[in-house]
Amino acid sequence: MSAIALTVAGSDSGGGAGIQADLKTFAALGVYGASVVTALTAQNTRGVQAIHDVPPEFVAEQIDSVFSDLAVEAVKIGMLSQSAVIAAVAAGLERHGAEKIVLDPVMVATSGDRLLAPEAIDTLLSVLVPKALIVTPNLAEAAAMLNEPIAVDEDAMRAQAERILALGPRAVLITGGDGAGAESVDILVDPEGSERYASRRIDTCNTHGTGCTLSAAIAAALAKGQSLRDGVAGAKAYISAAIAASDELAVGHGHGPVHHFHAFWR
């Protein structure tokens, strides 16, 4: 059977993040991608101009439609802007017994535009985070989830990951791409301990959709039956190569996308 992964996220009309980035990632990594659209954004490399939320009832119908026909092996969750949509997604995944859930707690776009209503954070933490196999916040998202300052070093990242782990997911990966230093370091914490994933920091402004792409790559690995730690390692290698090749693309005039298909064409 074909490995199938489902992305539950918002649409990025510019193509660099959200559903579009997830489906590109699935395709590049040899996984069939299905999608549930939670929001429509008028968005480009310069920013988000408007957001149109999909009614939660229709989000639920999309989930039921996909699971009633496709053998979904893993689910990646991205932008869920409103509490009612979060609840609909949580209920839908519970209804269909989804287990390999990668939750990217998208709160703010690379451009700085807010994608999650402040009042919805508590719903995300209480309803969806405990269902996740792994949660993949960046530095700012991890701090917002805990209502704490942004971690400034690896020890602080590890401590915040442990506190998020206590909220119920089976693993937490805090990504350090927005940090400083010669290396971009991600910290994974699970019941077995912690793991450090490091790559050379790349000097580029083409970082639109990096969080979406990393979490989608983890979901793709899980859909193919890989272990979580192997999946995280492979996803880190994939996003690092996609960022390194991003300057070979000429897309837009702001924060450009990464090169999802760097292994196939330049």
Side-chain angles (χ1 to χ4, degrees), residues 6-258:
L6 168 66
T7 170
V8 181
S11 170
D12 173 3
S13 56
I19 289 281
Q20 288 82 352
D22 295 343
L23 293 177
K24 290 174 187 176
T25 301
F26 294 162
L29 296 176
V31 170
Y32 181 88
S35 62
V36 168
V37 181
T38 61
L40 308 175
T41 69
Q43 183 175 179
N44 54 35
T45 63
R46 288 173 166 166
V48 179
Q49 291 77 45
I51 297 175
H52 180 74
D53 292 305
V54 174
E57 298 81 8
F58 189 68
V59 172
E61 288 180 1
Q62 293 178 77
I63 292 173
D64 290 343
S65 179
V66 171
F67 276 96
S68 69
D69 185 38
L70 277 62
V72 176
E73 294 291 339
V75 179
K76 175 266 167 83
I77 301 173
M79 177 186 176
L80 305 173
S81 62
Q82 302 293 330
S83 291
V85 171
I86 294 172
V89 169
L93 296 181
E94 179 75 21
R95 195 159 54 247
H96 295 285
E99 295 183 351
K100 297 178 181 179
I101 299 172
V102 181
L103 174 59
D104 179 17
V106 177
M107 298 181 184
V108 178
T110 302
S111 59
D113 297 286
R114 180 170 287 279
L115 299 176
L116 176 69
E119 63 272 15
I121 294 178
D122 287 343
T123 307
L124 185 76
L125 295 177
S126 63
V127 174
L128 210 48
V129 167
K131 296 183 182 300
L133 171 59
I134 184 170
V135 183
T136 62
N138 61 26
L139 293 171
E141 291 161 348
M145 292 174 72
L146 297 168
N147 195 26
E148 294 179 1
I150 293 175
V152 295
D153 56 36
E154 292 180 34
D155 288 339
M157 290 172 65
R158 190 172 291 103
Q160 287 193 344
E162 290 171 349
R163 286 192 283 277
I164 295 172
L165 188 68
L167 298 176
R170 281 172 278 173
V172 178
L173 179 73
I174 296 184
T175 62
D178 295 330
E183 288 185 314
S184 174
V185 178
D186 302 342
I187 300 293
L188 174 74
V189 171
D190 62 17
E192 298 178 5
S194 65
E195 189 77 28
R196 180 181 188 270
Y197 301 89
S199 62
R200 176 179 61 86
R201 189 174 299 281
I202 299 163
D203 184 17
T204 179
C205 67
N206 295 330
T207 55
H208 185 50
T210 50
C212 304
T213 299
L214 176 68
S215 53
I218 296 172
L222 295 173
K224 292 193 289 187
Q226 295 182 23
S227 70
L228 180 59
R229 290 203 175 200
D230 286 346
V232 170
K236 177 69 169 179
Y238 172 72
I239 186 59
S240 298
I243 294 172
S246 66
D247 286 345
E248 298 181 25
L249 298 177
V251 178
H253 300 85
H255 292 284
V258 303

